Amino acid sequence: MSLDTLLEYAEMDNIAVELHEDVLTELGRKVVESYEIDRGSREDWEKRNEEATKLAAQVVEEKSSPWQGAANIKFPLLTEASIQFNARAYSALVPGNNLVSSRVVGYDPTGEKMEQGTRVSRHMSYQLLELMEEWEEEMDALLLALPILGCMFKKTYYDPILGRNKSEVIYPKDLVVDYYTKSLDQSYRKTHVLQQTENDINILKANGLYLHVDLTASAATANELANDIYGLSTPVQTDATEDIVLEQHTYEDLDGDGIAEPYIITVHEESQQVLRIVAGYSVDDIRLNEENEVVYIPQRQYFTKYGFMPSPDGSFYDLGFGNLLAPINHTVDTIINQLLDAGTMSNLQAGFLSRGVRMKNGDSRFRPGEWKQVNSTGDDLRKGIYPLPVREPSSVLFNLLGTMINAGQRIASTVDSMVGENPGQNQKATTTMAVLDQGQKVFHGIYKRLHRSLKRELQDRKSTRLNSSHRCISYAVFCLKKKKKYKKKKKKRRK
């Protein structure tokens, strides 16, 4: 692709208006197909995270074993771990008004660099906490879900509708990347799953950001095909019904020169129609050789990954307490429910009645203080009733319950001293502080990962890039202007 075309694409709001309909159809099909492939690679991970979310949210599902209405307790081991982590991490990462700090690199005898860094720090702190109203609230939600899911994402970009920079939290289920991708920077494609209403799509169309294509007819055709295959009925559509829109950051060779350039392609999933294509680069990112030929265009990154604990299998998605504590939490729930069911069976006795006991048929339930008459003598009644041999709740299970809870609390660092409870003994203050410091070692490692991610969000090609009051002329543009000046001088010399 020529340099002029690349520069033109970099400034366009929607490249799709320049492409042929057949090209758009093929791109829409390719985006949806690659999205399904990436999502299929992490299918097992999605199931584990769904179970962890239900466990942390204390979702109680109907239970009919060993009988209808049996005990169904969800012990809040994972819930407590996530709340405690959020309380510690939130105050550590968002300490106050001075959120962003700067560091001087290199020689600064006059202090000019330090003064400039201080001004930038104050401006960005004000921008994050005041102008970007959603930033702090989104950060709070991120730090609550992070220990459960293992990783979360932030998307930092300029919102043309709001007219300002925006930072939003993206849950891992809505950012689909191949499971064994090493990092976001090295990922060939990543798909942000958007949920937009018809009104949202119409607003973007009115602002020239989406193509004016009819999604209703194609979506209805897709629904009719699915209904014929699976025998389903089309749900009732309302104004609040949200459509799935796929925003895929990938590489495409639009000019057919054999080298793919980074683009952001937005596709309506159900109809597979392309809504928007924008350059995934800026003019500053184009790399040229000495002959002014394009040799490389890196993809601009809008996403920042916040990881909890790296996965030992080398996958892209990190581990959280949802993976580490779920087996222990399920074991604790099982033991508690068994103890409660055993206590229920012991308190509410059941058994067998012989035919010699003359009493009315049906259930015989007693209220406190109630006596019932039967047509039998005491000896016959005693001989005709045989209670079930039910044992009381097991003390062995109770001891095992304490062991499992203690093991889970040690993993999550939510033991008594870590949650503010008194150790209950004459312990010196210095000893208590040392114990707390050792207990915080696990979190210190996680905090460093979060600080590293926050640094990337604020510095690495995102907030600082969006805050630039002017763009420096890239090497590509510089070479192009230099080339034009040379041609003008050459014409003058000829004259």
Side-chain angles (χ1 to χ4, degrees), residues 39 49 155 159 196 279 473 480:
R39 187 176 179 184
N49 265 19
K155 183 181 181 182
D159 191 328
Q196 297 177 342
I473 300 177
L480 186 63

Side-chain angles (χ1 to χ4, degrees), residues 191-209:
T191 307
H192 182 196
V193 181
L194 305 171
Q195 295 182 348
Q196 297 177 342
T197 63
E198 182 181 356
N199 186 56
D200 295 333
I201 296 176
N202 290 336
I203 291 175
L204 293 170
K205 287 181 179 179
N207 284 270
L209 301 178

Side-chain angles (χ1 to χ4, degrees), residues 215-234:
L215 303 177
T216 307
S218 53
T221 304
N223 281 333
E224 291 173 2
L225 180 60
N227 294 341
D228 293 338
I229 296 175
Y230 301 106
L232 303 175
S233 59
T234 304

Side-chain angles (χ1 to χ4, degrees), residues 102 238 284:
S102 60
T238 64
D284 302 326

